[in-house]
Each structure stands twice: as structure tokens, then as C-alpha cells.
Amino acid sequence: MKIFQILFFFLLVNTLFSCKTVKGKTLLFVGSFTDKKPGKGIHVYEFSSHTGDATLKYTLDHITNTSFLRLSPNGQYLYSVVDSQMDYNGKVAAFKVDSLKLDISFINSQDCGGLNPAHLEIDNTGKYLVNSNYSDPSLSVFKINSNGSLNPYEQVIRFKDSSIIKGRQESAHIHSSNFSPDGKFLFVQDLGADKIRSFTFNKNNSNFMLKNERYIKVKPGSGPRHFIFHSNGKYGYGVNELSGEIIAYKYDNGQLIYIEAYNSYEKQQDIYRSADIHISPDGKFLYASNRGPEEDSISIFSINAVNGKLSLVAHESTYGEHPRNFAISPNGKFLLVANQFSNNIVIFNRNRKTGKLQKLPLEIKVENPSSIQMRAYKN
């Protein structure tokens, strides 16, 4: 009798353990350009945090140019730009994420207040969303309701400015924005004006939530595109599209203090198109994507935790064309690159000790991938 009791105990423990291991799921959300017509805009995959395999679970069809995605801090809602790169005002759409059914459902959408929405930012409370309009240079600020839906924009700020590169900098181009680690300020990348604009963020004034504009001037012809703050709250890093450089800053109570600039490309180019920038979950390494014309690569840097400076580790080919966006898996084990022009997402194993990348024989085929978001869910 005791033998059967022991066997039953081990079977019970094994069953409970197995249930525990399959409970958690990592979801991969991919936003795409749809050639300016309704098409398959958002794909949802179940991603294995152990092997790097991705299985398509859901596709949102009949939607146009969902070229940038952003998850809410709690992962319950997904937000997407809609109708980017069109000749009329774009939108921002809200979706409910179902981590059990592995899909998303439409909640609502709002006019974004300008042409060509390119980037979305959400504050750490999950209550405010900022949209960046590239072609009609402006910022629009939205309040997020408790059910994830968006109110009409509370504020739109428009910009007039320029810089030195003809055809790219003849007007302001707002490419992205980032809330400061303390949530008190918003920093805005203006590719057309070679400025990082900053605003104080006042949640209590719905008409003027962003005010007291200042700016940090970057080297003419740089083209600030994307920015990321370090998790320690002390440093920030900007990637400049037109100069192919990464700039390190010290952050201090609303101020960005220049530290040093670094080449993101391995080789000198006539034209630079640096795109995206991310830091590993452990805060030890920084990665940036470089889009041709001669080098499609990910640059890898180690981060000095004492002074914020970067040291080059390596460059890795993206095994595709035009790596517009990339993401690091929540456990830090994988890095996924969306190669827009070659219609593939390449998956790399990431060495946590060295920061280096090793391509896996895994690849996701998807048309014009342009934005990646990942989240681990505990169902």
C-alpha cells in the first residue's frame, strides 16, 4: 500500500510541476506595412523562451500600415499606429490582448492629429500615450481609460524647423518620444531639426500636459531617431539615423548631459540609416540596428555601469535587408530582428556573458515586418 502511495505522490508532484511549466507563455507581436492598402497588419505568435521557436496564432487582417506597436506596461493592451505613410491623418488603435486565446481584439481608435504616425510611447502608469507624427511634424497626447480604450487626443503640439541635409531635413520630423525614468519629462527625437526636444509632463492639466519646451542640439546632419533610457535611470542613449552614430548621455532631473558619441556601423558609408536601439534586460549590453545600403547589421556594445560609456563588442549581420526594428526576449536569451525588405524575422541566441549573437536556424516569414513587441505572461 505504501508503494502505491509513494507512486501516487510522485505522479501528483510531476503533474503539478508540468502544469506550472506550461502555464507561462511568451507572446510575440509583429506590426507590418501593408503597401498602403488593407492587409495583414498585425501577427501574434507564441514564442518559446527555451528554443526560440515561434508559432503563428492570430493575424489581424484588413488594416492598413500598422507599422509601429507598443504594449501597455501591464501587457493587457496593445496599441498600434494605423494608416502610417498615407496622405491623410493616421490613427492610433487600441486592442485587448488575450493571453489564453493568444489573440487580440479591437477596442477603439482615435485620429492621431497628423500625417504618418511613426512611434508610440506610454508612461509607466499606463494611463497616457504619446504619438509621434513624422510627416506632419507633431506630437499628440492621449489619455488611456481603465478598459484600455483611448480618449480623443488631449493636446497636439506642432513644430516648424529644419537642418542641413536636403530631402531629409527641410522640415521638422518627429520620429519618437520617451518618458524620463522619473516620469516627469518627455524627450522627443526630431530627425529633421537635429534636436532632442524636452517637455515637462503635467498630468493635472489636460489642455497643456506637455509644456516648458527646451531642446538639446545634436551635431548637424545627425538625424535623431530613437532613444532609450537605462534601467538604472542614470543614462540615456540615442541612435542617429543620418550620421549612423549612437550618443550616450547622463540623465539628471530633466537634463541630458553629453557623454560620448560612437559609430554604429562597422564600415564607413555614403548614406547611413541607423534605426532602432535597445538594452538587454540585465542592463549590461546595448544593441542598435543599421539598415544598409552596404551593411545590414546589429552593433553590440557593453555598457560601463559606473560612467555610462560604451565599448564596442561586435557587429552581427541581420541576414536580411533593412532591419527596421528588433526586440530582445523578456528572459534575455534571444534577439529577434525584423528585416522589412527581405520579409523575414531572424532569431539569434544571445550570449548573456559576452553580449554576442549567434544566428539560429529559425526564421519567421512575414510580409514587411516593421515593429516587434514581446511579453511573458503568467496565465
Side-chain angles (χ1 to χ4, degrees):
M1 188 67 177
K2 288 185 178 180
I3 295 175
F4 287 109
Q5 288 176 334
I6 293 171
L7 286 172
F8 176 78
F9 173 77
F10 279 109
L11 284 170
L12 179 62
V13 170
N14 184 63
T15 301
L16 290 172
F17 178 76
S18 299
C19 290
K20 185 178 180 181
T21 58
V22 299
K23 256 188 173 182
K25 296 176 182 177
T26 296
L27 296 189
L28 165 66
F29 305 87
V30 179
S32 305
F33 284 100
T34 62
D35 197 24
K36 298 185 178 182
K37 56 189 177 184
K40 297 178 180 179
I42 301 177
H43 298 76
V44 182
Y45 298 83
E46 184 174 5
F47 183 82
S48 171
S49 58
H50 303 291
T51 66
D53 286 289
T55 304
L56 180 63
K57 295 295 183 179
Y58 177 80
T59 299
L60 181 67
D61 205 347
H62 306 295
I63 193 165
T64 305
N65 283 9
T66 50
S67 59
F68 192 87
L69 307 179
R70 178 71 77 195
L71 280 166
S72 62
N74 61 13
Q76 294 181 14
Y77 305 103
L78 180 73
Y79 298 89
S80 175
V81 303
V82 181
D83 295 334
S84 66
Q85 297 189 356
M86 306 297 280
D87 58 1
Y88 50 84
N89 275 16
K91 298 181 179 65
V92 181
F95 301 89
K96 172 67 176 176
V97 176
D98 191 324
S99 59
L100 291 174
K101 293 181 179 179
L102 306 180
D103 65 10
I104 58 175
S105 55
F106 177 75
I107 301 174
N108 78 330
S109 66
Q110 298 289 356
D111 186 294
C112 71
L115 301 174
N116 195 6
H119 183 274
L120 303 174
E121 171 71 340
I122 301 175
D123 80 316
N124 56 14
T125 69
K127 295 179 180 179
Y128 302 92
L129 180 147
V130 179
N131 164 73
S132 299
N133 293 313
Y134 181 87
S135 299
D136 179 14
S138 57
L139 286 173
S140 47
V141 185
F142 300 82
K143 284 185 179 180
I144 301 175
N145 297 311
S146 59
N147 66 352
S149 64
L150 293 167
N151 287 319
Y153 55 75
E154 302 282 336
Q155 182 182 12
V156 175
I157 303 175
R158 305 191 185 279
F159 304 92
K160 292 183 179 180
D161 217 331
S162 63
S163 194
I164 65 172
I165 297 181
K166 292 183 179 180
R168 295 301 310 274
Q169 295 186 310
E170 292 171 347
S171 69
H173 291 301
I174 305 304
H175 215 307
S176 66
S177 69
N178 302 80
F179 283 103
S180 59
D182 53 25
K184 297 178 180 179
F185 302 90
L186 184 78
F187 291 91
V188 180
Q189 311 298 304
D190 188 338
L191 183 146
D194 285 322
K195 292 177 179 178
I196 300 177
R197 303 179 185 274
S198 68
F199 298 85
T200 55
F201 181 56
N202 184 354
K203 302 175 184 179
N204 298 319
N205 190 335
S206 60
N207 294 322
F208 300 99
M209 303 179 79
L210 298 178
K211 61 180 185 178
N212 301 328
E213 180 183 354
R214 295 180 293 182
Y215 65 84
I216 299 98
K217 188 70 177 173
V218 299
K219 183 174 66 177
S222 292
R225 180 183 172 96
H226 279 194
F227 193 92
I228 189 167
F229 282 103
H230 196 282
S231 57
N232 64 16
K234 297 179 181 179
Y235 307 110
Y237 301 88
V239 62
N240 296 322
E241 177 174 343
L242 303 180
S243 66
E245 290 182 321
I246 296 167
I247 300 181
Y249 298 91
K250 179 181 178 182
Y251 174 71
D252 184 16
N253 192 30
Q255 301 290 327
L256 291 179
I257 303 164
Y258 176 89
I259 297 176
E260 200 165 359
Y262 308 86
N263 291 327
S264 186
Y265 281 73
E266 184 174 16
K267 301 173 184 177
Q268 185 174 347
Q269 314 272 307
D270 292 329
I271 298 173
Y272 294 99
R273 296 193 184 97
S274 292
D276 202 10
I277 187 167
H278 293 285
I279 293 174
S280 58
D282 59 12
K284 294 181 179 180
F285 297 96
L286 179 144
Y287 300 83
S289 62
N290 306 301
R291 303 173 293 176
E294 300 172 33
E295 177 186 334
D296 290 291
S297 68
I298 298 291
S299 56
I300 307 166
F301 296 86
S302 62
I303 301 173
N304 187 315
V306 176
N307 58 25
K309 290 186 176 182
L310 304 179
S311 297
L312 180 66
V313 173
H315 289 85
E316 181 67 41
S317 169
T318 65
Y319 298 90
E321 188 178 354
H322 209 74
R324 187 182 184 92
N325 193 238
F326 68 96
I328 301 171
S329 63
N331 63 0
K333 186 176 180 179
F334 302 100
L335 186 146
L336 287 71
V337 182
N339 292 304
Q340 182 185 346
F341 292 170
S342 52
N343 304 315
N344 64 334
I345 297 175
V346 175
I347 303 170
F348 296 88
N349 187 70
R350 195 183 74 86
N351 188 310
R352 292 182 178 93
K353 292 183 178 180
T354 67
K356 291 184 177 181
L357 304 175
Q358 182 180 15
K359 182 182 180 297
L360 296 177
L362 304 169
E363 194 171 291
I364 302 171
K365 290 292 186 180
V366 59
E367 291 293 315
N368 298 311
S370 60
S371 182
I372 298 176
Q373 291 279 282
M374 301 185 76
R375 175 82 182 198
Y377 292 88
K378 296 179 181 179
N379 296 324

